[in-house]
Amino acid sequence: MKKFGKSLLALSLMGVMAGAAQAQDKKELHVYNWSDYIAADTISKFEKETGIKVVYDVFDANETLEAKLLAGKSGYDIVVPSNNFLAKQIKAKVYQPLDKSKLPNWKNLDTNLLKTVEVSDPGNQYAFPYMWGSIGIGYNPDKVKAVLGDDAPVDSWDLLFKPENIEKLKSCGVTVLDSPTEVLPIAMHYQGLKPDNADPSASDIKAAEELFLKIRPYITYFHSSKYISDLANGNICVAVGYSGDVYQAKSRAEEAGGKVKVAYNIPKEGAGTFFDMIAVPADAENVESAYAFMNFLMKPEIMAEITNEVQFPNGNAAATPLVDESLRNDPGIYPTEEIMAKLYAFPDLTPKAQRAMTRSWTKIKSGK
């Protein structure tokens, strides 16, 4: 009886050890990225090359990602915050530092962009740039012309902020990103106030709020991804949106036969620019798989394919020659030096400023 008991115990221990080893060897990766922000076959190519299964989820606002990260146990191994949110999340210790010895393809990254994003991540210790872009005006040229005529100011924020313009555009639909930290600075900048102040004054936030309240009756909705399909389908005529999203709408419209026209402009007054970063949460469970995925994304041919599909410029210098020439030569995607000089970055806001902006945004959306 004792002998049988020992044998049973040994078998049980072997089973537990085998289960533990199997769990350790389980190749899986949980990714949380922006919606419509990767090529259709990127994940399948990675899975085929590595044998690692990917669970891929999407979000459409930095605030959504931040809430998951700060709550802890997000369940994700790869996340894609914008650089201004990354900075405060680093301070909150939600990321683990990168071991660059496990990223041999790091050499392909754009050194100029790496220096630029050091303002959020000194020494590039926790993240690297994935895609970047601007927030400008996406529009339907035919519908805007029908409402405002040939002289419609499609190259200016006047299109949005002058009531006499947006009041007429209401008939064909105007949408705005649902992101207070990215949209309120547009209104500040338009009024000659500093848009990249980490701790904007209450009066600056109030000025932006009042400007938006004046045009609020004419805004169809606030959303950070729905406008892509609505622009492509002709359901709206103006969208304050991310550059690459508008270009995706343009591509979809062309694929559907080209009856709907879509264009994008960085307003002449200037616009905000963002850098979306790849990072690994401190509580990631599949770290080795995360490194495999990051190194895969650093391949020039992979990043070029993603840019060609999502139409955002990427942070990989070696990929640029592989990007479609039509995209490389489009100033809305790869801005000229003159345009770059008018772009501003979004700051790492103080908690107080972020709370104030969120309260203001709630008031704007409600229209009260």
Side-chain angles (χ1 to χ4, degrees):
M1 192 70 181
K2 287 182 181 179
K3 185 176 180 182
F4 177 75
K6 286 181 180 178
S7 298
L8 188 62
L9 177 62
L11 286 169
S12 298
L13 287 171
M14 286 174 65
V16 170
M17 290 171 67
Q22 187 177 13
Q24 254 186 346
D25 291 340
K26 184 183 179 185
K27 290 188 172 182
E28 191 170 77
L29 179 72
H30 291 257
V31 177
Y32 201 33
N33 195 3
W34 293 83
S35 59
D36 300 291
Y37 217 32
I38 200 163
D41 59 356
T42 305
I43 298 300
S44 60
K45 283 184 176 180
F46 172 73
E47 290 179 329
K48 184 177 180 181
E49 181 175 306
T50 64
I52 298 170
K53 181 183 184 310
V54 177
V55 179
Y56 189 87
D57 296 327
V58 300
F59 60 91
D60 64 7
N62 272 296
E63 289 80 3
T64 304
L65 170 61
E66 181 165 271
K68 284 186 177 288
L69 291 171
L70 295 182
K73 297 183 180 179
S74 68
Y76 293 104
D77 308 303
I78 291 284
V79 294
V80 192
S82 295
N83 64 300
N84 55 319
F85 278 75
L86 172 81
K88 59 185 164 185
Q89 290 158 4
I90 289 174
K91 293 173 187 172
K93 302 185 184 305
V94 300
Y95 299 119
Q96 52 184 273
L98 297 177
D99 181 351
K100 294 172 189 173
S101 69
K102 296 180 179 180
L103 298 168
N105 287 332
W106 185 277
K107 64 182 184 295
N108 296 323
L109 299 179
D110 187 318
T111 55
N112 290 325
L113 284 187
L114 286 173
K115 288 177 185 175
T116 299
V117 297
E118 280 199 69
V119 67
S120 305
D121 177 18
N124 307 119
Q125 295 181 71
Y126 293 91
F128 65 92
Y130 174 61
M131 298 282 168
W132 63 282
S134 58
I135 294 177
I137 298 171
Y139 64 101
N140 181 315
D142 295 336
K143 290 197 170 188
V144 171
K145 181 180 177 181
V147 174
L148 295 179
D150 293 334
D151 297 327
V154 293
D155 63 342
S156 170
W157 288 116
D158 287 347
L159 189 71
L160 179 75
F161 291 123
K162 286 201 169 179
E164 62 266 31
N165 291 328
I166 192 171
E167 184 178 5
K168 294 175 182 175
L169 291 167
K170 180 185 178 182
S171 62
C172 55
V174 178
T175 73
V176 175
L177 292 171
D178 189 3
S179 177
T181 57
E182 293 175 316
V183 176
L184 288 175
I186 296 173
M188 293 178 191
H189 183 60
Y190 181 76
Q191 297 177 93
L193 305 172
K194 191 172 172 58
D196 53 359
N197 188 348
D199 191 16
S201 67
S203 61
D204 283 4
I205 295 174
K206 186 67 175 176
E209 177 188 303
E210 289 176 351
L211 183 59
F212 263 104
L213 284 173
K214 287 178 184 176
I215 63 170
R216 176 62 186 93
Y218 314 118
I219 296 174
T220 308
Y221 64 75
F222 296 86
H223 202 278
S224 296
S225 61
K226 185 176 182 290
Y227 67 95
I228 302 174
S229 57
D230 281 348
L231 263 180
N233 297 331
N235 295 334
I236 59 174
C237 60
V238 173
V240 175
Y242 303 117
S243 53
D245 283 356
V246 177
Y247 279 95
Q248 287 180 48
K250 180 181 179 182
S251 294
R252 292 183 190 181
E254 290 169 351
E255 290 165 4
K259 290 182 179 179
V260 175
K261 305 297 181 187
V262 177
Y264 176 79
N265 281 332
I266 297 175
K268 61 185 179 183
E269 298 90 351
T273 187
F274 56 86
F275 299 89
D276 291 326
M277 313 292 289
I278 299 282
V280 181
D283 59 358
E285 295 182 1
N286 304 291
V287 177
E288 292 307 310
S289 294
Y291 275 99
F293 188 68
M294 289 188 289
N295 204 50
F296 179 79
L297 286 181
M298 291 178 189
K299 289 184 175 184
E301 63 275 18
I302 296 300
M303 286 309 300
E305 288 172 357
I306 296 174
T307 286
N308 287 340
E309 184 155 335
V310 305
Q311 302 188 55
F312 282 91
N314 62 65
N316 192 310
T320 303
L322 305 177
V323 172
D324 287 348
E325 189 175 355
S326 61
L327 301 183
R328 281 186 280 127
N329 294 334
D330 189 323
I333 300 175
Y334 284 87
T336 63
E337 287 186 20
E338 182 183 358
I339 295 174
M340 286 293 288
K342 295 181 179 180
L343 300 180
Y344 56 85
F346 296 107
D348 171 18
L349 292 169
T350 64
K352 173 188 169 187
Q354 189 170 353
R355 286 193 298 271
M357 282 192 171
T358 300
R359 285 195 300 270
S360 179
W361 196 242
T362 300
K363 185 175 179 181
I364 290 166
K365 288 174 67 178
S366 69
K368 299 176 182 177

